[in-house]
Structure formats: C-alpha cells, structure tokens
Amino acid sequence: MIPRHPRSSEPTTAEAGTWADVLVRRRLLHAAVLCPTGQWLIQHQPDGPVHVLKGPAQVVELVATIQHRTHSTRPASR
C-alpha cells in the first residue's frame, strides 16, 4: 500500500458526506447514511449487510481504500 500523507486536521462530517455522495453516485457504494449519532451506515450492495462506521474519519478511510482498490485493479494504460 502506498503511504498516505498525514492530515493536518480530522475529517469533518461535511467532507465525509461529500465523499459518501460521490461513492454512491459512482455506484461504488449502494448507500451511505449519516445517523444522528454521527455514525454512518454503509451498504456496498443492495442485498448486502449494513456496516456501521464510527464517524467521518472512518468514511474517509473507506474512500481511500476504495480508491486504492479501484486504481490498483485498472489495467495500465500507455
């Protein structure tokens, strides 16, 4: 895995929400819902299990994981 640059601040709920919207729009997630408790409910497939993420930092980490997986599985273009 490629080392990531350390962040200067913690991800915000707004940042996590924006990334969650992008993942759902691009069909990389089926659903991402912010709960009143600050937790996020994430579902990868319509009939799949629902996962609970503790907060914005875990949503951003999920985004990084999906990006890494997406980029590492693309064929090299030259």
Side-chain angles (χ1 to χ4, degrees):
M1 184 176 249
I2 299 169
R4 295 190 185 108
H5 298 287
R7 292 179 60 106
S8 60
S9 63
E10 287 294 312
T12 64
T13 300
E15 179 184 3
T18 299
W19 279 115
D21 287 344
V22 168
L23 292 176
V24 171
R25 273 189 282 126
R26 293 185 177 249
R27 298 184 179 159
L28 297 169
L29 283 179
H30 174 67
V33 178
L34 174 61
C35 298
T37 61
Q39 295 175 318
W40 288 81
L41 303 179
I42 304 294
Q43 190 176 29
H44 293 277
Q45 301 290 332
D47 57 349
V50 174
H51 301 280
V52 179
L53 302 182
K54 292 181 182 178
Q58 285 191 341
V59 174
V60 172
E61 183 61 32
L62 175 65
V63 170
T65 300
I66 290 172
Q67 283 180 331
H68 178 73
R69 184 180 68 222
T70 301
H71 291 290
S72 67
T73 58
R74 283 186 185 165
S77 60
R78 291 191 177 209

